[in-house]
Amino acid sequence: EAPAPASAAVAEAPAPAASTEAPAPKRQRESPPPFAVLIFAPGAGGQTAKAMRALQDSALEREGVAVFRCDDHPPGPNEARWIKSSAGCAKNVAHVLAVARRAAAAHPTLPLLLGGASFGNRVVCEVLRSHRAELPSRACNALLLCGFPLNPPDKAEGADQKRPAHLLALPAGVRVRLLQGGKDEFNGPRGILALNELVAQMAATA
């Protein structure tokens, strides 16, 4: 008699006895000691978006990047978050500098990186451009910019020349990492193509 196919034998195998023990809890990966600090400036609303906050608290900190968000630190008497009429105004800059000093005091041996989202990108560009000497000495000549607001929604491209100027006026040698969504409403009428062209201009003058 021919042997039963293997699949049939598997189908007829008795089911394992149900376990009465609760499954062992999954062991969460421990975060390593931080090797760098990100000082993060939120968008025009003054609060880091929930999704961005969750990403920072999980992925970044698990990889050893401590995050100091400006919106976790109330502005002092001569600080603001934000005066939206002027990204580089004294009160906006003073708030980022104050948070950077707190980050440096909390992590006295680690490099510091400025970053932001939307309007906060414009603020940190101005901090690094015009107030580099006031930052802690361990601040990097680099920026991490998430969703740079190149063009106001529903406006003609180039309607606000101050926006591209924040990037084009950065000192030579500043490294910039731009994280931009292809459907970001602040990309402008031509989408991300305009930002790609701006990046090429930055590279040409670096």
Side-chain angles (χ1 to χ4, degrees):
E1 183 179 347
S7 59
V10 171
E12 293 171 3
S19 173
T20 57
E21 296 182 5
K26 290 185 178 180
R27 187 174 180 180
Q28 292 188 346
R29 176 183 168 190
E30 293 183 3
S31 298
F35 67 86
V37 183
L38 173 65
I39 295 120
F40 192 80
Q47 296 293 323
T48 301
K50 289 182 179 180
M52 177 67 75
R53 183 177 284 266
L55 177 66
Q56 292 170 352
D57 289 345
S58 56
L60 287 184
E61 298 207 349
R62 276 205 312 267
E63 296 302 324
V65 178
V67 181
F68 267 65
R69 288 177 285 262
C70 290
D71 43 315
D72 289 340
H73 300 268
N78 296 311
E79 305 168 20
R81 191 182 63 245
W82 301 116
I83 295 174
K84 290 175 278 190
S85 59
S86 174
C89 74
K91 289 188 175 183
N92 289 351
V93 168
H95 185 48
V96 175
L97 292 174
V99 176
R101 286 191 290 268
R102 291 171 196 154
H107 300 279
T109 63
L110 301 184
L112 310 174
L113 173 66
L114 293 181
S118 195
F119 183 82
N121 291 326
R122 300 174 63 189
V123 178
V124 295
C125 281
E126 292 306 300
V127 171
L128 197 56
R129 182 182 73 84
S130 302
H131 300 270
R132 178 69 180 85
E134 299 170 58
L135 285 164
S137 60
R138 286 175 286 105
C140 302
N141 263 350
L143 294 168
L144 176 64
L145 307 181
C146 304
F148 189 85
L150 183 61
N151 209 80
D154 303 321
K155 299 287 185 182
E157 186 173 318
D160 185 353
Q161 285 298 308
K162 296 191 296 270
R163 293 170 181 249
H166 292 305
L167 293 174
L168 292 172
L170 287 170
V174 173
R175 297 174 67 98
V176 178
R177 175 72 70 179
L178 286 155
L179 304 178
Q180 196 84 2
K183 297 182 179 180
D184 192 316
E185 64 177 347
F186 286 91
N187 285 338
R190 292 189 297 136
I192 204 167
L193 179 61
L195 187 63
N196 288 338
E197 292 175 357
L198 183 63
V199 168
Q201 292 180 53
M202 294 167 62
T205 58

